[in-house]
Amino acid sequence: RNEIVEISQITFQVDDINNVISTAEAIEGVLSQRHQKLDYAIVTPLELLEQARTTRMMFMAFMGLIAAISLIVGGIGIMNIMLATVTERTREIGIRRALGAKKRDIIVQFLAETIVLSTVGGLTGILGGLLCPTIVNMIRDFAIQSLPELVQDLPETVKQISPVIVPVSIPLALTISIVVGVSFGIYPAIRAASLDPIEALRHE
């Protein structure tokens, strides 16, 4: 005999939070074709979605703040290195000025050194970032072998987490590194160019 089964609720789970709205619209389209009467309602957890979106934005802002602080600290480090270099090479700067070098030449020289320093630092950071997925996997495998009980209690998301390298971030990171280095290297370069050639030659 035929049995009529009434379904009061169907729950759908999507793989990505960004697909919730589009999935709901697709379901609504299918139901509108199958149901002549509007005897159904589609409910999406918009408040939860909004909360998750807010949390993600706060996390991105926090990570951006950390990155900004790191860039400033790195820039200050480059500036201190270049200022120390200017002090150590005061006599050299005086000799160059005495031989006819202009202030512009001194500025270009120290900015070129700053660009080289920033490029080496940026490439080192990129290399570390590219090795990050391998390092994370090694740490996770070591933890699974050494501390299986602890790993078992962790959420599934933590167990399967893996860093993803976005290709566009590689040239962007290198460009930002060079821009920060040049920005913080301008003052030492100008200071080196502003040295009095006579006083620089007398420097011991």
Side-chain angles (χ1 to χ4, degrees):
R1 96 191 167 182
N2 296 330
E3 182 179 357
I4 299 176
V5 179
E6 294 184 358
I7 300 177
S8 61
Q9 180 178 346
I10 299 177
T11 303
F12 289 87
Q13 183 177 0
V14 296
D15 57 348
D16 191 350
I17 190 174
N18 297 320
N19 298 330
V20 172
I21 302 299
S22 59
T23 303
E25 293 175 352
I27 294 172
E28 185 176 4
V30 174
L31 291 177
S32 62
Q33 296 176 0
R34 302 294 180 88
H35 290 250
Q36 297 179 353
K37 296 181 180 180
L38 189 61
D39 56 353
Y40 60 87
I42 299 177
V43 179
T44 56
L46 294 179
E47 293 183 358
L48 295 178
L49 291 177
E50 188 63 28
Q51 183 179 2
R53 189 178 295 109
T54 302
T55 302
R56 183 172 60 180
M57 292 298 296
M58 291 177 61
F59 178 77
M60 291 176 62
F62 180 71
M63 294 301 295
L65 180 61
I66 293 178
I69 294 175
S70 301
L71 289 174
I72 292 175
V73 172
I76 293 175
I78 291 176
M79 184 173 63
N80 288 335
I81 292 174
M82 296 308 299
L83 287 174
T85 302
V86 171
T87 302
E88 293 174 356
R89 298 167 60 183
T90 300
R91 188 174 180 82
E92 174 191 336
I93 296 171
I95 294 174
R96 288 202 63 196
R97 291 296 307 278
L99 294 176
K102 299 180 180 179
K103 290 184 178 182
R104 180 180 59 196
D105 299 326
I106 303 298
I107 293 176
V108 170
Q109 174 188 350
F110 279 90
L111 284 182
E113 294 178 6
T114 303
I115 291 174
V116 172
L117 184 63
S118 303
T119 302
V120 172
L123 292 175
T124 303
I126 290 173
L127 179 61
L130 293 175
L131 293 176
C132 188
T134 304
I135 295 174
V136 170
N137 292 332
M138 290 176 58
I139 294 175
R140 181 169 52 205
D141 295 340
F142 176 78
I144 292 175
Q145 296 177 1
S146 303
L147 305 169
E149 298 180 356
L150 178 62
V151 175
Q152 187 176 2
D153 295 335
L154 294 175
E156 198 65 28
T157 306
V158 178
K159 295 179 183 178
Q160 299 178 356
I161 190 171
S162 179
V164 177
I165 306 298
V166 181
V168 71
S169 65
I170 297 177
L172 180 62
L174 183 60
T175 302
I176 292 176
S177 174
I178 295 175
V179 169
V180 171
V182 172
S183 300
F184 282 86
I186 291 176
Y187 172 70
I190 294 177
R191 181 173 177 179
S194 301
L195 291 175
D196 188 331
I198 299 177
E199 293 298 329
L201 288 173
R202 292 176 179 174
H203 183 77
E204 295 295 337

